[in-house]
Amino acid sequence: MAIAARTAHHVRIAHAPPIEHRQLPYPRLDWPLEISGGQYAPVAWNDISGWSADDHLQAYKAFRISCKPIVAQQGPSTDPKALGTSLRDPCRAARAADLSDGASAKAFFEENFRPLRISRLGEDDGFVTGYYEPVLDGSRSKTDIYTVPVYRRPSNLFVRGFAQDAPNLPNKGPVYRKIGRRKLVPYYDRAEIEDGAIAGRGIEICWLKNQSDLLFAQIQGSARIRLEDGSTIRINYDAHNGYPYTAVGRVLIDRGIIPKEQMSMQKIREWMEQNPDGANDVRRQNRSYVFFREVPLSDKDEAVGAQGVPLTPGRSIAVDQTLHVYGTPFFIQGELPIESAQSKTPFHRLMIAQDTGSAITGPARADLYFGAGADAGRVSGRLRHTMHFVILVPKSLDPLARGRRMPLPDPRPSEKIAKLFPQVEPAKDSSRPAEPAKSAAATPAPAATVAQASPAVVEKPVPLPQARPRIEVRRHRYYRYYRGVR
């Protein structure tokens, strides 16, 4: 059941007068399930390739982690997203069950969810990339080796509608800094910050070896920093400077530096290490800049996603948070270069939405989390692939059942009504050249035939509007004198 018509319908409604001032033949209907810019169709469990072979227990464990904050939510939600608070019921069941085998976990998902194949409007597949948590060397203080600061959120950073110390700021949209007491201007971009616009304010968390290390930490959204004394700290995304993200890989492709088919995170890093001057220019094409916060997690724990729960390697994904609800299961199927850059490893896996990113947009778009370290970085850096997406919707939102309750449109007018109000084609302009004759078999009955059958219908010329009268305005003498003095 695609929602193409519904998307267009809502665009028109957005620019229409308030509904109470309009005469509508039908009341506004609530559609079964609305996901902006997307289309979906029900699918049977047996028709999902690779569903039965997946390790559902691992997906169930990741789902239970997401369920803790979901179950803790109280009261109705004002969130306009399609799933709303519908995950509460399956989450309560998951928290109560505590399953320990794959067969029971598979049965749990099939009993509590309805699978829908989902994609962007007019497309068949979705798109995936990969991300990981880098492990970088750093220092708590600036040295001759560690010269690049990792900044926490500056105190002069403002986002409209949010307090300056709000724990969760949006990862999209404009960001400002204050000049004087009232004036707000766009925040500094990457080049300005790298040139020292906010240096010396005491907001440095730690220091890294080079700007490339910082860039990759910002792209991934988190990193583990191994300090000189042997300890490890973790930094997580906290805010951004308000500029849209520009992929440095795309810049390198457009400039013909790295071919598209060879593009990977490793290729970008290698080129930047070999071309430090060029890397400085390419990096600054991405004006977006990320600020971090230090999080108190041990080195054995995984990074925390935007939902506020630890991510599970191979089971957590980042999705478009404006469309989807954290905790939603997605079954992603296709082939990915997991074993090597040339391999086509079958990937049929149930993943849980637990994170987001500014570059992750659309109803069937996901960033797959592979864990921490160099191996995870090599795998995730190779991914830019189309895949099939199946979203698991709680049965309380079953679009088939809800669609059956939608009223049908009124029947077409009767034949008697149609005769009373015949449709007559307008008279043709004789000044135009005649069209070539068509065969009698292919030519429909002319409009004159309809007019003869209904003599009450008389065509009248449409009157043209009369020309507006010309009004001369005489200016007073003192007015002309005043204008001449000026």
Side-chain angles (χ1 to χ4, degrees):
M1 183 184 295
I3 63 169
R6 292 194 294 245
T7 303
H9 172 74
H10 283 286
V11 171
R12 293 196 295 272
I13 290 296
H15 299 282
I19 192 167
E20 61 268 21
H21 300 301
R22 300 166 59 213
Q23 298 297 326
L24 296 179
Y26 305 106
R28 186 187 183 280
L29 302 177
D30 291 328
W31 297 99
L33 186 66
E34 295 182 75
I35 302 175
S36 178
Q39 61 190 17
Y40 62 84
V43 60
W45 294 109
N46 293 336
D47 294 334
I48 302 175
S49 177
W51 170 255
S52 298
D54 190 24
D55 187 347
H56 296 85
L57 182 59
Q58 295 301 316
Y60 171 79
K61 291 179 179 179
F63 179 69
R64 285 187 91 238
I65 294 174
S66 277
C67 283
K68 185 175 180 180
I70 292 175
V71 171
Q73 297 172 357
Q74 300 294 328
S77 173
T78 58
D79 197 329
K81 291 190 285 292
L83 265 61
T85 60
S86 62
L87 286 172
R88 290 181 185 177
D89 289 341
C91 272
R92 291 189 184 103
R95 298 287 294 179
D98 194 14
L99 306 178
S100 59
D101 63 275
S104 299
K106 177 174 176 288
F108 166 82
F109 288 111
E110 293 178 352
E111 291 170 1
N112 289 276
F113 293 91
R114 171 81 64 183
L116 305 175
R117 189 176 299 280
I118 185 172
S119 61
R120 190 184 294 273
L121 196 62
E123 300 179 1
D124 294 329
D125 299 318
F127 188 73
V128 302
T129 49
Y131 74 115
Y132 72 110
E133 186 179 30
V135 180
L136 307 170
D137 293 327
S139 172
R140 282 289 192 183
S141 57
K142 185 177 181 180
T143 67
D144 293 339
I145 298 176
Y146 302 103
T147 59
V148 177
V150 177
Y151 290 120
R152 61 174 51 90
R153 186 198 307 180
S155 60
N156 65 340
L157 185 146
F158 294 85
V159 178
R160 293 188 188 276
F162 292 84
Q164 285 181 263
D165 57 350
N168 296 306
L169 294 180
N171 62 359
K172 299 177 184 177
V175 175
Y176 304 94
R177 59 185 175 90
K178 184 180 289 187
I179 296 180
R181 300 182 63 180
R182 294 184 179 181
K183 186 177 181 180
L184 295 179
V185 297
Y187 206 79
Y188 301 112
D189 68 2
R190 175 177 294 276
E192 292 171 314
I193 294 174
E194 289 185 359
D195 289 340
I198 59 174
R201 299 187 181 184
I203 57 174
E204 297 85 0
I205 298 175
C206 59
W207 302 78
L208 303 178
K209 288 183 177 179
N210 53 61
Q211 291 288 356
S212 295
D213 282 350
L214 176 61
L215 174 66
F216 282 94
Q218 291 174 327
I219 291 174
Q220 305 306 321
S222 66
R224 300 182 191 184
I225 312 298
R226 294 180 300 210
L227 302 177
E228 292 178 300
D229 60 4
S231 62
T232 301
I233 63 173
R234 173 175 281 120
I235 54 175
N236 265 20
Y237 172 94
D238 189 40
H240 76 126
N241 65 338
Y243 291 89
Y245 171 77
T246 300
V248 293
R250 170 55 56 187
V251 177
L252 293 171
I253 291 173
D254 292 343
R255 294 184 178 184
I257 297 174
I258 299 178
K260 182 178 180 180
E261 59 274 10
Q262 299 180 14
M263 179 56 64
S264 68
M265 299 294 282
Q266 288 69 38
K267 285 287 186 180
I268 296 174
R269 180 177 282 276
E270 291 173 2
W271 182 86
M272 285 187 168
E273 291 175 352
Q274 297 169 5
N275 302 272
D277 293 336
N280 186 62
D281 174 64
V282 169
R283 188 179 60 253
R284 294 185 177 204
Q285 300 304 307
N286 175 29
R287 302 179 70 188
S288 176
Y289 194 92
V290 168
F291 303 102
F292 293 93
R293 65 178 182 270
E294 185 177 348
V295 291
L297 292 175
S298 70
D299 189 44
K300 296 181 181 179
D301 294 327
E302 289 294 335
V304 174
Q307 191 189 9
V309 300
L311 302 177
T312 302
R315 292 292 170 178
S316 297
I317 58 174
V319 297
D320 188 341
Q321 194 267 338
T322 64
L323 301 178
H324 298 300
V325 176
Y326 292 135
T328 302
F330 287 83
F331 192 78
I332 299 177
Q333 54 186 132
E335 295 180 339
L336 293 176
I338 303 295
E339 303 299 331
S340 67
Q342 292 75 32
S343 66
K344 295 183 178 180
T345 307
F347 190 94
H348 305 138
R349 194 172 297 183
L350 186 59
M351 315 286 283
I352 311 300
Q354 297 174 327
D355 204 357
T356 190
S358 58
I360 312 302
T361 58
R365 174 72 172 91
D367 218 6
L368 315 183
Y369 177 69
F370 283 92
D375 291 340
R378 279 189 286 270
V379 174
S380 62
R382 295 193 289 258
L383 304 191
R384 292 185 59 84
H385 292 72
T386 57
M387 304 283 279
H388 295 303
F389 276 64
V390 175
I391 182 174
L392 272 57
V393 176
K395 285 192 173 180
S396 62
L397 292 182
D398 184 355
L400 293 178
R402 300 178 76 187
R404 295 187 189 102
R405 297 196 296 268
M406 293 181 65
L408 295 175
D410 291 344
R412 298 180 62 183
S414 66
E415 184 177 354
K416 182 178 180 180
I417 297 297
K419 288 182 178 179
L420 291 176
F421 300 95
Q423 301 298 311
V424 180
E425 294 182 3
K428 296 183 179 180
D429 188 352
S430 59
S431 62
R432 294 182 179 180
E435 295 182 359
K438 298 180 181 179
S439 65
T443 305
T449 304
V450 180
Q452 292 172 4
S454 304
V457 179
V458 180
E459 295 184 31
K460 296 181 179 180
V462 179
L464 296 175
Q466 296 180 358
R468 298 177 63 181
R470 182 177 180 181
I471 301 175
E472 295 184 1
V473 179
R474 295 184 178 182
R475 298 176 180 175
H476 293 287
R477 185 175 300 171
Y478 72 86
Y479 177 76
R480 292 197 300 271
Y481 173 76
Y482 174 75
R483 294 285 295 177
V485 173
R486 297 272 296 191

